[in-house]
Amino acid sequence: MKKSEISQEINLERRRFVGAAAMTIAAAQFGMIGSAEAQASNANQASATTIKPGTHTSFGPLKQIDAGLLNIGYAEDGPASGQAVILLHGWPYDIHSYVDVAPILASAGYRVVVPYLRGYGSTTFLSSSTMRNAQQSAVALDIIALMDALKIQKAIVAGFDWGARTADIMAVLWPERCRAIVSVGGYLIGSPAANQVPYPPAPTLAFWYQYYFATEIGRLGYQKYLHDFAKLIWQTSSPKWNFDDATFERSAASLNNPDHVAITIHNYRWRIGLADGERKYDDLEERLAALPVVAVPAITMEGDSNGAIHAPSTAYRNKFSGKYEYRLITGGVGHNLPQEAPDVFAKAVVDVAGY
């Protein structure tokens, strides 16, 4: 199949509504999940841990470090000598997506690092003149710079939403830095050119915020109603997650970062070709536009009640050439899988570490 055809297929599938996709995946993957559970039964204590979501509400004191273009705020847990795990959040969430995952992994001996992405929390740009750029390669380079600053040569990288895309990108551009990845939503690498394909009405409606952000009134609206906007995305992306106000407010505070609106708007405009990236990233973006295969060990996951646009696993299975497993997580789990099902997410990290 030609690259352009693969790109169109993946991007079209990614934009189909959750209902039909989830039912299809559930039927196809039911037996696989049972097999995966059996195979992982001898994994270490993190695999067996059952933790109620919301058990933890905070990390220890956060840390700051200069890394690349940023001063990055991050949480850290576990022994410094442990195998490194980097947990990456998405939009419009923050490090609290991993507030229950991190202690599970730390207790199992992993060194866990949970950074705020650019435009979130206490992560700030070192220079006021740096472009507030959120194209996919720039975000991934931030994490490589963080690993360099923390002297982490190789890590398991796990994430959802923007974080999953970043894990995928790191795995294909810098496989020597990735021990393995866990990617909620599967293969999320794309390009502005691939997103020029016109979509049917249903997926277009589901991507309403992308088109809203393409307008100036959308930027102003997001800035003015930031809190309400984020809460709506949480509700629609995880329709069966009954999070309380305190849980939402802990994460919503990170959106008050002075660069958050600019970063968010640039990301979504860049994706559909309405905003330029930076020429220094052209080579990386050209490589990503070819939709390279992930060769490092990988587990992809999906919640059975994910209300955000996502692809069925069949659409991206051939994009993973190393040891690989797909897991459908049942029980009403939505888009913010690590916070809604922390024990299951931690188990995936432990299992992929053993691949």
Side-chain angles (χ1 to χ4, degrees):
M1 185 177 291
K2 296 179 180 179
K3 292 178 183 176
S4 60
E5 293 173 340
I6 294 173
S7 174
Q8 290 182 16
E9 177 184 352
I10 291 174
N11 280 279
L12 274 171
E13 291 292 348
R14 184 177 297 142
R15 288 160 174 79
R16 301 198 186 282
F17 273 125
V18 62
M23 291 176 65
T24 300
I25 297 170
Q29 298 296 335
F30 183 78
M32 180 186 296
I33 295 168
S35 174
E37 294 291 337
Q39 292 171 7
S41 61
N42 294 323
N44 68 26
Q45 68 186 54
S47 294
T49 300
T50 299
I51 186 170
K52 181 181 179 181
T55 297
H56 300 88
T57 59
S58 65
F59 296 94
L62 298 185
K63 301 178 180 181
Q64 298 289 143
I65 192 168
D66 287 351
L69 301 173
L70 305 172
N71 178 261
I72 296 179
Y74 65 100
E76 185 167 11
D77 201 355
S81 60
Q83 182 169 310
V85 177
I86 299 176
L87 304 176
L88 302 174
H89 67 83
W91 171 86
Y93 305 90
D94 82 332
I95 63 174
H96 288 88
S97 291
Y98 300 102
V99 72
D100 287 320
V101 173
I104 298 174
L105 294 175
S107 69
Y110 293 90
R111 179 187 181 186
V112 185
V113 177
V114 193
Y116 283 112
L117 299 186
R118 55 170 61 192
Y120 292 82
S122 59
T123 292
T124 57
F125 285 85
L126 294 173
S127 172
S128 60
S129 64
T130 300
M131 178 182 175
R132 273 35 180 180
N133 179 357
Q135 67 186 101
Q136 59 186 355
S137 60
V139 177
L141 276 169
D142 291 343
I143 308 306
I144 293 295
L146 176 63
M147 291 176 67
D148 291 343
L150 294 176
K151 296 180 171 54
I152 296 174
Q153 181 56 37
K154 203 165 193 174
I156 297 168
V157 185
F160 74 103
D161 199 83
W162 289 24
R165 178 176 296 106
T166 301
D168 293 339
I169 291 169
M170 292 174 65
V172 299
L173 293 183
W174 303 283
E176 72 281 1
R177 307 300 298 271
C178 296
R179 169 69 184 80
I181 67 169
V182 174
S183 177
V184 177
Y187 189 91
L188 301 179
I189 299 171
S191 70
N195 286 324
Q196 297 307 303
V197 179
Y199 302 112
T204 300
L205 175 63
F207 241 154
W208 68 272
Y209 57 88
Q210 177 168 287
Y211 303 112
Y212 182 61
F213 290 159
T215 68
E216 180 60 11
I217 193 67
R219 182 188 69 80
L220 293 172
Y222 186 57
Q223 180 175 285
K224 182 175 181 179
Y225 298 106
L226 181 59
H227 181 279
D228 294 343
F229 201 107
K231 196 166 191 176
L232 176 63
I233 295 297
W234 279 40
Q235 292 167 339
T236 56
S237 296
S238 297
K240 295 186 179 180
W241 181 31
N242 296 316
F243 58 88
D244 57 25
D245 288 342
T247 298
F248 174 72
E249 295 297 342
R250 277 189 290 272
S251 289
S254 73
L255 308 184
N256 294 324
N257 181 291
D259 297 307
H260 176 76
V261 172
I263 288 295
T264 299
I265 297 301
H266 182 266
N267 178 280
Y268 288 103
R269 290 183 180 180
W270 177 84
R271 288 192 199 186
I272 57 176
L274 297 182
D276 286 335
E278 293 182 83
R279 300 287 74 77
K280 63 182 178 180
Y281 302 124
D282 283 354
D283 289 345
L284 296 178
E285 294 297 346
E286 183 177 352
R287 291 169 61 187
L288 293 174
L291 304 178
V293 170
V294 174
V296 305
I299 290 177
T300 65
M301 308 176 73
E302 196 66 74
D304 66 343
S305 293
N306 183 4
I309 294 173
H310 62 281
S313 61
T314 53
Y316 54 75
R317 175 60 187 92
N318 66 348
K319 305 309 294 183
F320 294 88
S321 65
K323 188 166 184 180
Y324 171 80
E325 185 181 340
Y326 169 80
R327 296 180 180 180
L328 175 68
I329 310 306
T330 59
V333 176
H335 190 60
N336 187 1
L337 194 152
Q339 195 163 3
E340 298 175 58
D343 51 342
V344 173
F345 189 89
K347 183 179 187 303
V349 172
V350 172
D351 289 350
V352 82
Y355 282 4

